[in-house]
Amino acid sequence: MKMSFFDDLKVLFSKEGQKNIKEYNEREKEEMMKAQQEILERRRDPRKMRAYEDATDKRRKELAEERAVYKFQQKQQAGYDPLTDWKKLKDEGKIKIGKDLPRDEGSRRLGSEGLIEVRVDERMPYIDQGYVDEDADAMGKFMGLFTKKKSEK
């Protein structure tokens, strides 16, 4: 049996649906209250605050180290190709792309493997090279129809 959009609305506005919504809202409220209580408790106890700050500093340091791997993308030397460093780092396992990255299980559906929680384009070798396709300027081409070319003078 296949349910339609209207059947979903019927379930949503039924007594059972209203009960489920109420339970969901209560759970959300309890989770928020618990998180708030943890914050207040951490503020009162210097040891808990220190542990929290240490964990935060550790996480930030790990992110900074991970980000430092990609410094090669910003090199602007004549004849330098970032692809060579990118391939080397990928072979060493320092750069992960595609199948190597963890995926969000909650977004897996209809044959999709799920979403990746990082921007993959930032991990590619040529992101900071500044390539611009001159043929991609549609507005410039359109406006060019209304201007005289230098050779027509």
Side-chain angles (χ1 to χ4, degrees):
M1 182 171 161
K2 190 174 182 182
M3 290 185 65
S4 70
F5 173 72
F6 294 108
D7 292 331
D8 291 341
L9 287 177
K10 286 179 189 175
V11 170
L12 182 65
F13 291 109
S14 69
K15 287 184 180 184
E16 182 183 345
Q18 293 296 316
K19 180 180 148 208
N20 289 340
I21 291 171
K22 193 172 190 177
E23 288 173 2
Y24 173 79
N25 289 338
E26 285 297 319
R27 277 194 313 269
E28 287 287 313
K29 193 174 179 181
E30 287 172 16
E31 288 174 14
M32 285 188 257
M33 184 60 86
K34 183 179 176 187
Q36 187 66 35
Q37 292 299 322
E38 288 175 5
I39 291 169
L40 292 172
E41 188 176 324
R42 193 170 52 233
R43 287 180 182 169
R44 287 187 209 113
D45 188 352
R47 289 177 303 200
K48 288 185 179 181
M49 184 56 106
R50 173 55 46 205
Y52 173 76
E53 289 172 350
D54 289 344
T56 301
D57 290 343
K58 180 183 175 196
R59 191 173 59 248
R60 288 178 180 164
K61 183 179 177 188
E62 289 171 357
L63 288 172
E65 288 171 358
E66 181 182 333
R67 203 57 212 135
V69 170
Y70 296 94
K71 291 282 186 196
F72 72 91
Q73 293 171 326
Q74 298 169 357
K75 278 188 191 174
Q76 297 290 328
Q77 297 173 345
Y80 172 72
D81 186 9
L83 186 60
T84 55
D85 285 342
W86 185 83
K87 284 181 178 178
K88 184 180 102 183
L89 291 167
K90 187 172 181 314
D91 290 341
E92 292 173 3
K94 293 181 180 176
I95 291 179
K96 296 178 182 173
I97 59 166
K99 300 256 185 224
D100 302 332
L101 295 170
R103 296 188 177 256
D104 178 30
E105 293 294 322
S107 63
R108 181 181 297 239
R109 61 177 97 40
L110 297 175
S112 170
E113 295 179 17
L115 298 175
I116 299 172
E117 56 185 46
V118 296
R119 285 188 51 188
V120 176
D121 64 328
E122 287 182 344
R123 296 169 176 249
M124 302 309 282
Y126 298 111
I127 190 166
D128 286 338
Q129 295 299 313
Y131 172 76
V132 177
D133 184 7
E134 299 299 327
D135 292 332
D137 185 14
M139 280 306 292
K141 286 183 180 181
F142 178 73
M143 296 306 288
L145 295 173
F146 302 107
T147 59
K148 288 185 178 181
K149 296 190 183 206
K150 292 180 182 178
S151 61
E152 290 181 4
K153 287 183 179 178

